[in-house]
Structure formats: C-alpha cells, structure tokens
C-alpha cells in the first residue's frame, strides 16, 4: 500500500490468500481456526500459499485456542512449529504468551524469539488479555517484537480505539544519565530530555472487527500505519447432495455447506478507504 499504510489480512486458505493479494493487501497472516482466534496452520497450507502469492506471509504459532498460558508440552510444540515454518519459507511469525497473572511471559517469549531468528515477529492479540497494556508494551519493546496486534483490550478495535491511540502515543523520557520513565499523556519541556513514542519503537496494529464502515475512524483516531482485518464473505458450497441433519462441529457450529473466504472486493474497498484517509 502507498503512503506508508499497510493492510494485513488474516487468512486460513489458499483462496483467501490469493484474494487478499489481488485486493491489495500488503501482508498475510496465515492461520487455521479463525473462529478460535487463529491457531497454527499446516506446513502444507504454508507451502501452497507461498507458491501462489508474492506478498509476505506471517504464520501464526498458537497450538490451541483458549488462553495464552502454555504448558511445557505446548511450548515444545510451538518450538517445533517455529522450526517447520522457518524451513518452509515463512516471512515472519506471530505469537504471544502470558503468565497466570496476565503479564507478558518474558522468559518464554525470549525463548521463542531466539528460535524465530532472523524472522520478524508480531505479538498477537494475547496482548488484549494483559493486566496492564502500558507495562506490556514496554516489555515487548525490550524483547524486540516488531509489532503488536491489538483491539485496544476491548471487543473490537473501534471499542478499544482510545487505548490504541494511547499505546501509539506512549513514550518515555530519556535524560543524560539514561534513566527512563514510562509516561502517559503530556510532554516534556526540559531542554535536556527528549521523547520517543511507541510509533518509533514498535508498530501498533489495530485489529478486531475492522470493516468498511469503521476503518477510516480507526485509522484517523489511532494514528496507526498498519491495520489487520479478515475482509471475509460467506461462499456457498458446491455440494449438490446435502445432509443437513449432521454437523461436524460442536454446539457453536458453523454451516457445513458454506465457507468464509477473503473477499477481493472487500479488500479493495478497505485498501481504498485507507489510502483516502491519508
């Protein structure tokens, strides 16, 4: 995308990845199980996507849905998945981990980041479950994450817009003796201090419930240079014989004879709105 804006589209199929690129997406987040917020895709899916798109593909590393407190076995799965995705040409990775008290699990994140090198890494919406987003942001900057995907710790990016804006503008003072303080709001007037915003240290990428109706407001209100969406529409199955008495899912099942795919028209529309916003 032009003017420094970048649209990331989360996809769970080859068709969606191709449609995202055709619509003007600048990056793909590849995952499975979007109804659970996304989990690790298969290496087969990554391989075929990489064969069919040219834009960067960041792969979700998340062994299951639910919370972001992982067992030793799950951590081992994540490390193995990182190895596999790197070997199959992932352009970046997406993961996050928390402690039981809702803080960034810095020890585990350091391990996973070390395993991910030299690939860039996004800290995903585990961020929206942290106890204190201000403290969490500073931890992620220190760890070396490239960006944070967040809905502003709310149900959608629009609802969480005030928090997203504060995160983008979050800065610290730097003085000659190198002491630093996190500061929220206001500016320094001391001649021996300067400020650095989060924008200069880590990318804040709004995501969650972004549509054609609210994108302009989110971009203008946050000051973010990237945004994350799915841009999906329902596509009817090509099956002619249908047994509508059977569902393969659980109680909250989705229709068996419809799939959700990234919609080229929606992606293009979001792309145009973003360009016109700036």
């Amino acid at each position: 995308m032009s003017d420094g804006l970048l649209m990331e589209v989360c996809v769970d199929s080859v068709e969606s990845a191709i449609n995202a690129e055709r619509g003007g997406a600048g990056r793909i987040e590849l995952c499975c199980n979007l109804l659970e917020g996304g989990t690790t895709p298969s290496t087969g899916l990554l391989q075929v996507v990489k064969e069919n798109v040219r834009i960067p593909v960041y792969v979700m590393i998340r062994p299951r849905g639910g919370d972001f407190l992982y067992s030793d076995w799950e951590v081992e799965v994540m490390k193995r998945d990182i190895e596999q995705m790197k070997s199959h040409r992932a352009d970046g990775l997406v993961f996050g981990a928390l402690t039981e008290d809702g803080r960034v699990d810095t020890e585990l994140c350091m391990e996973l980041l070390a395993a991910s090198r030299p690939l860039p890494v996004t800290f995903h919406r585990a961020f929206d479950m942290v106890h204190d987003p201000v403290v969490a942001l500073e931890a992620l900057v220190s760890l070396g994450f490239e960006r944070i995907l967040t809905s502003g710790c709310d149900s959608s990016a629009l609802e969480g817009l005030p928090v997203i804006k504060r995160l983008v503008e979050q800065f610290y003072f730097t003085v000659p003796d190198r002491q630093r303080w996190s500061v929220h709001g206001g500016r320094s007037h001391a001649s021996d201090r300067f400020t650095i915003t989060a924008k200069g240290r880590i990318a804040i990428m709004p995501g969650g419930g972004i549509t054609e109706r609210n994108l302009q407001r989110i971009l203008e209100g946050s000051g973010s240079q990237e945004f994350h969406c799915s841009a999906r529409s329902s596509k009817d199955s090509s099956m002619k014989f249908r047994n509508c008495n059977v569902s393969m899912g659980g109680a909250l099942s989705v229709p068996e004879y419809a799939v959700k795919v990234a919609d080229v028209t929606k992606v293009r529309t979001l792309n145009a709105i973003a360009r016109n916003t700036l």
Side-chain angles (χ1 to χ4, degrees), residues 85-252:
M85 299 309 168
K86 286 175 65 178
S87 68
H88 288 93
R89 301 190 300 122
D91 298 291
L93 300 170
V94 182
F95 57 72
L98 304 179
T99 62
E100 62 182 10
D101 58 352
R103 303 180 190 280
V104 173
D105 189 334
T106 54
E107 182 176 346
L108 174 53
C109 284
M110 279 193 289
E111 293 180 27
L112 298 178
L113 284 166
S116 301
R117 293 191 183 100
L119 298 185
V121 180
T122 299
F123 193 92
H124 59 41
R125 288 188 62 197
F127 185 85
D128 293 322
M129 302 300 186
V130 297
H131 178 263
D132 186 335
V134 168
V135 173
L137 184 149
E138 296 303 329
L140 297 176
V141 169
S142 297
L143 286 166
F145 281 88
E146 181 182 68
R147 74 178 47 77
I148 298 169
L149 169 61
T150 178
S151 64
C153 303
D154 214 320
S155 57
S156 71
L158 184 60
E159 296 293 329
L161 187 54
V163 172
I164 295 173
K165 180 176 175 60
R166 287 200 298 270
L167 291 171
V168 171
E169 295 178 346
Q170 183 172 319
F171 60 85
Y172 58 69
F173 292 134
T174 300
V175 293
D177 62 2
R178 298 186 182 274
Q179 288 180 295
R180 295 175 179 178
W181 299 267
S182 291
V183 180
H184 326 297
R187 294 191 178 277
S188 169
H189 299 289
S191 60
D192 61 346
R193 301 178 184 179
F194 62 90
T195 62
I196 303 177
T197 64
K199 187 180 290 186
R201 300 182 289 147
I202 192 169
I204 307 296
M205 180 168 63
I210 290 182
T211 68
E212 304 94 316
R213 295 184 298 277
N214 60 29
L215 176 59
Q216 181 175 351
R217 182 176 170 187
I218 290 169
L219 290 177
E220 290 178 342
S222 67
S224 295
Q225 296 297 302
E226 304 182 12
F227 67 96
H228 173 99
C229 61
S230 61
R232 295 193 299 166
S233 292
S234 184
K235 175 186 172 184
D236 193 44
S237 168
S238 298
M239 290 290 296
K240 291 183 171 57
F241 172 77
R242 304 186 178 199
N243 181 356
C244 296
N245 295 318
V246 177
S247 173
M248 299 298 170
L252 296 176

